[in-house]
Amino acid sequence: MTNSPAYVFTPPPVVSVPVAGSTHRYAVHRVYCVGRNYEEHAKEMGFTGREPPFFFLKPADAIVAVDAGTVGTLPYPSLTKNFHHEIELVVAIGTGGKDIKAADAHAHIFGYAVGLDMTRRDLQGEMKKAGRPWCIGKGFDHSAPIGPITPTALAGDVNHADLFVQVNGTDRQRSNVAKLIWNVAETIEHLSAAWELMPGDLIYTGTPEGVAAVVTGDILVGSVAGLGELHIKVV
Ligand code: MN
C-alpha cells in the first residue's frame, strides 16, 4: 500500500510529446534552448564570432505537442506586435547525466523532433536593451510547438539534415543542421556542465537566419529532414 500525499488542488497533468512509431509518449521534464547557434542568425541579431553557447529555458507547459498529420493551434500571444518563428532541431534526452563529454553525448539522446522557438521579439528586444531576463520574450504560454519525437535509430543523420519553415507556403528560413556553431554533442557537453540533464529534457538547438513575424491566420510548416513536418496555425 502506498500512501499518496493529499494536494491542496489537483496537480497539473504531465506534459508529453508523441513518439513516432509508438503508442508511448515522451514525458517532458524541462525545455532548454540555445541562443544564437547559427552564424547567419547571430549576424542578423547583431552579433559576430563564435562565443560560448548560452542557454535559456521555457516552462515545460509551454510545449504545444502536435501529432503527425494534424495541424496544431498556436494562440497569438498577448503584449506583442512582433511574434517571430524560429525553426529548430530539438534533441530529446533519454538518459540523464552531468558533465557529459561530447564524445559520449549520443548515448544520452532518446530522439529528435522539429520544434518552433516562438518569440515575442519586441519584448525580448526591450529586455535585452535593459539587461533584464528574456522570460517574457521567450518563456510565455504556448511558446514551444513541437512535432513527434523520432527515436535516434529511426532519425537518420540529423547532424546534416536540411531544415526549413514556410509561412503560408512561402520559405522563411532554410538551412542545414551542419551549420550549427555548437553541434548537438558539443551543446550537450556545455549544457550538462551547467545543469544535470534528466530524461524528459528537451533541447531547442537554435535557429538559422530568416526569423520573421507571423500574424493571426498564418499557417506554419516546419521541417527537419528525417523527422517529418510540424504544421501549426496561428489563431
Ligand atoms: Mn531559438
Side-chain angles (χ1 to χ4, degrees), residues 35-100:
R36 283 175 223 139
N37 204 13
Y38 287 83
E39 189 178 355
E40 293 305 316
H41 173 62
K43 283 182 187 166
E44 77 182 349
M45 300 306 287
F47 298 86
T48 55
R50 196 188 202 216
E51 57 179 12
F54 67 92
F55 307 101
F56 57 92
L57 289 100
K58 294 177 186 259
D61 66 356
I63 288 284
V64 178
V66 182
D67 288 311
T70 69
V71 181
T73 55
L74 177 58
Y76 193 94
S78 61
L79 302 180
T80 186
K81 292 184 171 62
N82 198 16
F83 183 37
H84 274 202
H85 54 73
E86 296 192 355
I87 184 69
E88 310 203 359
L89 168 69
V90 181
V91 177
I93 295 295
T95 303
K98 52 185 175 182
D99 293 320
I100 299 165

Side-chain angles (χ1 to χ4, degrees), residues 1 17 19 42 63 66 73 93 109 153 157 192 229:
M1 286 284 285
V17 180
V19 175
I63 288 284
V66 182
T73 55
I93 295 295
I109 300 171
D157 183 9
S192 69
E229 291 184 343

Side-chain angles (χ1 to χ4, degrees), residues 33-36 41 56 86 88 117 119 138 204-207:
C33 304
V34 188
R36 283 175 223 139
H41 173 62
F56 57 92
E86 296 192 355
E88 310 203 359
D117 165 15
T119 302
K138 287 290 196 179
Y204 282 62
T205 56
T207 198

